[in-house]
Each structure stands twice: as C-alpha cells, then as structure tokens.
Amino acid sequence: MRVTVEIDADGLARVEMCRGDGNAIDLAMARALLGAARECEKARVRAVLLSGQGRSFCVGGDLKEFGAVSGAGLADHLTEVTDALHGALRILTGLQAPLVVAVQGAVAGAGLGLVAVADVGLAATDARFTAAYTGIGYTPDAGVSWSLPRLVGSLRARDLLLTNRRVTAAEALEMGLVSRIVAPERLKEEAVGIAGALARGATAVYGATRRLLDRALSVDLDDHLDLEARQLTAAAGAAEGREGVAAFLAGRRPDFRAVARRGSVDGAGPDLATPPDSSPSPPRRGVAGPDRPTRKG
C-alpha cells in the first residue's frame, strides 16, 4: 500500500504517502494518490492533511521505474503517471475542504507541486526543497511551473527551476513556498491540530474564500469588489453564516459540523459550493488545466 487514508469523526482526512523513505512517485503511487483524492471527494471530508511517512516527504518521480521503460513506451508511461497525479491534484484542489500539507526531509520535483497546492503548508526545520527537473533533462509537472511564479515570483521561480538549488525551510518560509516552519518532533502534532481545527470550521465558507483568493489573480479590483459583495451576501444567508452570528450573539462556539449535518437533510440556504456569478473560476494554486471539477464538499 503506497497511500493510506484515515477519516475521523470530524471529517478530517489524513492522507499519508508510505512508500519507503523517499515516497518516490511511480505509476502505482500516482494511482494511489488519485484513489485517495477520490475517497476524500466521495466522503465529502471537511479538511485534508497530506503527509509523507519516513525521513522525506516526497523526492519526486521514481527515476528507476522511468529508466526501466524503454523506447516509445516511456512517453505512454509518463502520460499515465501524470494523468493520475494531475487528476489527484485537480480533485484535492477542487474540494471545499482546506488542504494542509506537512513536509520533512527532501522535497523535490512533483513533491514540490504537492506542497504548492496547500492552503496551509507546514515544513519541519530539516526540510529541503529543490525542483530537480532540469537537472535530469525533464521539464516540470504537478503544476510546478504554474504555481512557483505565483508563490515566489517569476524571477525566483526561474532561479529554482533552472539551477535546481536547494532551499532550506527558513528560506522557503521567507519566499512564501510554505506558511509555517516547526521543529521536526512537533510537525505531526502541529499539522493535525491545524487540520483538525479547519475540519471543525465553516467548510463552505472556506471554499468560497479560497475561490475569491484564486479569482483575485485574474480580475481587477472593481470587479473583485463586486464578487466579494455577492459572495458575502450568499454566505450571510447560508446556514453557516446564520449559525456563526447566532453563536456569537449567544456567547457560544459555533457548531458548523451540526449545520452541515442538518443541511444534508433539510437544506442549508444558498449553496456556497457554487460561485455567486457565472464566470469561470481559474485553477487553484499549483494546478493547471481548464477541466478542473467543480468544487464539492
């Protein structure tokens, strides 16, 4: 088994790659990630925590497998790998559920792409990042050439992709590749705590907020202000918005999970899974392609 999925009572899906220390992505691993993403989608999870077992999070593609495929068969093989891996990324970034990614040790190639789609990216202080692609004569996949310029800027992205220099956790935090760094012994606890809190939060509102952030990269301020106004109106009239305000006025914690359970039975007001306007949403961070699925949650 290359990927495990555990879903707890709060709706937190803990997805862990467990293929040796490096978690290199071969065809079976790519398909396993796609299967895990589909399981999260089917279960309508409320948050996803993606991690890698062992000393390293993910060292990228399995070059031993790629090297063993001869001639024209390599193109077909890599197409199968990227179809599965990119399918997993499209699903994970299309969920309403926020995605937390926790990394340690080596992060390279497609592993970098997995980090780049995170809503919250945690890195242990021993994490080291490198693009690696051009060093073996390959070009990027996993959305890396799309996500890096957006996260760290065009000039830094060119530097990282062309020179393949290693980036420390501290530098990754400074350039915006990850959002937090923690001691290695605290990585798991911190990641579970953050992902668990998100799973107990307002899932539909998280999804809507992420869509607003995505669209901010492709519209001007005037249009974006209109988008914000329409989305806020929809959110306020939906069950999560009503519960949040009622809880505040009553001096209690909101119970967004109960709202979700009631909504599945009797409806929950405006559906925040559907954007308030009909214009197409651009891809999420790190994911390219016009055929992303509509967010579900």
Side-chain angles (χ1 to χ4, degrees):
M1 185 176 291
R2 283 166 164 75
V3 178
T4 61
V5 182
E6 296 180 4
I7 303 174
D8 69 16
D10 287 333
L12 169 60
R14 296 173 63 170
V15 179
E16 184 173 57
M17 297 177 288
C18 49
R19 189 192 175 213
D21 286 339
N23 295 309
I25 299 177
D26 60 359
L27 179 56
M29 171 73 92
R31 287 173 172 169
L33 284 168
L34 177 57
R38 285 172 173 165
E39 187 173 344
C40 291
E41 182 179 42
K42 182 178 180 180
R44 299 172 68 86
V45 298
R46 298 177 60 81
V48 178
L49 170 58
L50 175 63
S51 61
Q53 193 178 89
R55 291 180 296 179
S56 294
F57 171 70
C58 177
V59 297
D62 185 345
L63 300 186
K64 290 183 179 179
E65 180 184 77
F66 299 166
V69 180
S70 60
L74 179 59
D76 292 337
H77 183 77
L78 288 176
T79 297
E80 289 188 81
V81 173
T82 54
D83 281 351
L85 176 60
H86 292 182
L89 288 170
R90 287 185 172 105
I91 292 173
L92 289 174
T93 60
L95 299 172
Q96 291 281 86
L99 175 63
V100 178
V101 178
V103 305
Q104 75 287 344
V107 183
L112 202 59
L114 294 174
V115 173
V117 297
D119 294 298
V120 180
L122 279 75
T125 52
D126 67 352
R128 298 293 183 270
F129 304 82
T130 182
Y133 294 104
T134 59
I136 60 168
Y138 277 29
T139 55
D141 66 347
V144 169
S145 60
W146 189 92
S147 60
L148 277 185
R150 287 162 172 78
L151 293 177
V152 306
S154 179
L155 189 60
R156 273 179 166 165
R158 291 170 185 271
D159 181 2
L160 295 177
L161 287 170
L162 298 179
T163 70
N164 301 304
R165 69 181 181 87
R166 291 188 178 182
V167 172
T168 66
E171 188 177 1
L173 175 65
E174 184 274 329
M175 68 172 57
L177 184 56
V178 297
S179 49
R180 312 185 193 190
I181 56 175
V182 298
E185 63 272 16
R186 293 188 54 244
L187 179 65
K188 182 177 180 180
E189 178 184 1
E190 188 84 4
V192 170
I194 293 170
L198 289 169
R200 295 186 291 274
T203 305
V205 167
Y206 290 152
T209 300
R210 288 156 61 196
R211 284 193 301 275
L212 284 171
L213 291 169
D214 293 339
R215 289 171 177 227
L217 298 174
S218 60
V219 299
D220 61 27
L221 177 60
D222 187 55
D223 289 338
H224 195 71
L225 290 172
D226 290 338
L227 288 173
E228 283 189 334
R230 290 196 294 271
Q231 187 64 81
L232 176 60
T233 301
E240 287 181 350
R242 297 196 303 270
E243 166 64 11
V245 172
F248 177 83
L249 295 176
R252 61 174 175 82
R253 290 182 179 273
D255 189 348
F256 294 116
R257 290 169 297 172
V259 165
R261 290 192 295 270
R262 291 198 303 270
S264 65
V265 175
D266 57 14
D271 181 9
L272 298 189
T274 302
D277 66 288
S278 59
S279 59
S281 176
R284 282 278 320 284
R285 291 171 50 180
V287 181
D291 54 342
R292 285 176 53 247
T294 301
R295 287 186 186 279
K296 299 179 181 178

